[in-house]
Amino acid sequence: MRKKLIVGNWKMNGRRAMANELCSTIMHEMQNFKNIDVTLCPPFILLDEVRKMTADSECMLGAQDLDMHNDGAYTGQVSAGMLKDAGCEWVIIGHSERRTLFGETNLTVGKKAKQALDHGLKPIVCVGETEGERKAGQETSIVQGQLQSVIDEIGIDSCKDMTIAYEPVWAIGTGLTATPEEAQTMHAFIREQLDLQHDETAKACRILYGGSMKQDNAGSLLGCPDIDGGLIGGASLNAGEFLGICRSA
Ligand code: PEP
C-alpha cells in the first residue's frame, strides 16, 4: 500500500512573515495527518524559515530545483549538498515552468534526478504534456519520452527512490483540472511503463497528480487507484485549501 504524499510547491512566492503564518496554521493540524506524508517546498531563501517552523512535526522539507553539478563555480546556483545541509529531504525536478521558461530538457532533468539521488535527496520528477500535444494525441508518447530519459540516466533500480508527478501543462495554474478519468489513465500508463522494466518498482513508486488541485476536486482525484498524492501549486499558498487537500488524502 503506497502512502499518499501531498507536496506544496510555493513557486516564487512568499516572505518570511507569510511563511511563518502559513506554516503555523498548517502545523496546528499536522498531528491529524499521521497516515499521509506532507512536504513543503518553499523558495530556497525560505527553506530555513520553513525548516524551523516545521521542526517539531512530521512535515518534510523540499526544494523546487537543484543544480546538476557538485559545488563549484556556478554563480547563482544551489547544489544538492547545500539542500541536504539545509534540511531538505525532497527536491522537485523538471517542473514544466523550469522546462518552458528556463530551458530544461529531458537530458538535464535526468542529470538533476541523478544528482539528487547521489546526495540522498528524493527527486519528484515532473512529466506532462502541453495542450497542443494532447490535442494531437501525443500525450502518452511525450510522457513516455520524459520518463524514459530519467530512467536511462538513473537506472530502473533507482526509480523506487523517485516520485513522479504527472502534471499536464494545460492544467498548471489555469484552474483547469484533468478529470479523474484522464488523470488515472495517464497514471496507469506511467505505472505500466515502469512495470515493463521492473514490477517491484512499479508497485512502490508514488505517482502524484498536479494541476489545479484544490480541496473541492482533491477527493475524486486522490480516490483513483494509481494517484498516490498531489503536487499542489497555487492552493498550497492558502492554508485552508492545503489542509483541505491533506484531509482528502
Ligand atoms: C504546480 O506548480 O506544480 C502546480 C500543480 O500548480 P497549480 O496547483 O497552481 O496548478
Side-chain angles (χ1 to χ4, degrees):
M1 180 79 180
R2 295 177 297 272
K3 202 175 183 184
K4 292 264 193 288
L5 167 64
I6 302 296
V7 181
N9 172 18
W10 291 8
K11 312 195 188 200
M12 195 173 74
N13 291 294
R15 298 288 186 273
R16 278 185 297 159
M18 168 272 195
N20 270 282
E21 202 180 316
L22 190 52
C23 288
S24 61
T25 312
I26 294 170
M27 288 310 104
H28 277 121
E29 271 202 52
M30 264 312 289
Q31 75 278 4
N32 299 335
F33 303 138
K34 296 270 182 254
N35 297 328
I36 63 167
D37 288 331
V38 179
T39 297
L40 296 179
C41 300
F44 292 132
I45 200 151
L46 293 176
L47 282 172
D48 200 48
E49 200 69 29
V50 173
R51 182 190 60 77
K52 285 186 214 145
M53 292 297 297
T54 55
D56 295 331
S57 78
E58 302 280 300
C59 182
M60 294 174 279
L61 189 65
Q64 299 172 16
D65 186 29
L66 86 180
D67 192 83
M68 69 176 98
H69 303 97
N70 292 325
D71 295 353
Y74 301 99
T75 302
Q77 296 298 94
V78 175
S79 70
M82 291 171 186
L83 295 181
K84 271 303 265 191
D85 191 45
C88 289
E89 284 182 58
W90 298 86
V91 58
I92 298 170
I93 292 175
H95 190 282
S96 72
E97 288 152 15
R98 303 273 344 148
R99 292 178 189 258
T100 53
L101 302 173
F102 301 100
E104 296 219 357
T105 63
N106 285 348
L107 198 68
T108 58
V109 171
K111 287 189 188 305
K112 287 184 175 195
K114 172 109 178 42
Q115 186 72 355
L117 290 167
D118 286 350
H119 288 79
L121 289 163
K122 295 177 223 164
I124 299 168
V125 174
C126 302
V127 297
E129 80 288 356
T130 63
E131 186 181 14
E133 288 161 348
R134 178 164 278 262
K135 281 195 175 136
Q138 296 168 341
E139 66 272 23
T140 48
S141 62
I142 292 293
V143 168
Q144 185 181 31
Q146 292 168 335
L147 181 65
Q148 193 56 46
S149 65
V150 175
I151 298 174
D152 289 346
E153 188 66 36
I154 68 175
I156 189 68
D157 289 347
S158 297
C159 290
K160 62 181 185 329
D161 301 317
M162 159 174 95
T163 294
I164 297 163
Y166 169 58
E167 299 208 302
V169 180
W170 47 271
I172 298 178
T174 58
L176 294 173
T177 313
T179 62
E181 294 71 30
E182 284 168 335
Q184 167 58 27
T185 299
M186 186 60 87
H187 282 234
F189 172 77
I190 293 170
R191 204 174 303 286
E192 187 188 304
Q193 296 307 302
L194 295 172
D195 188 58
L196 288 170
Q197 300 174 60
H198 196 256
D199 57 347
E200 289 305 316
T201 299
K203 281 189 203 117
C205 186
R206 287 190 283 196
I207 308 174
L208 314 183
Y209 169 80
S212 299
M213 192 188 273
K214 302 208 167 45
Q215 58 177 339
D216 59 7
N217 60 26
S220 55
L221 287 159
L222 294 170
C224 296
D226 288 295
I227 300 184
D228 305 313
L231 178 53
I232 321 298
S236 72
L237 298 169
N238 177 312
E241 281 286 338
F242 189 70
L243 287 168
I245 294 169
C246 291
R247 278 181 225 120
S248 294

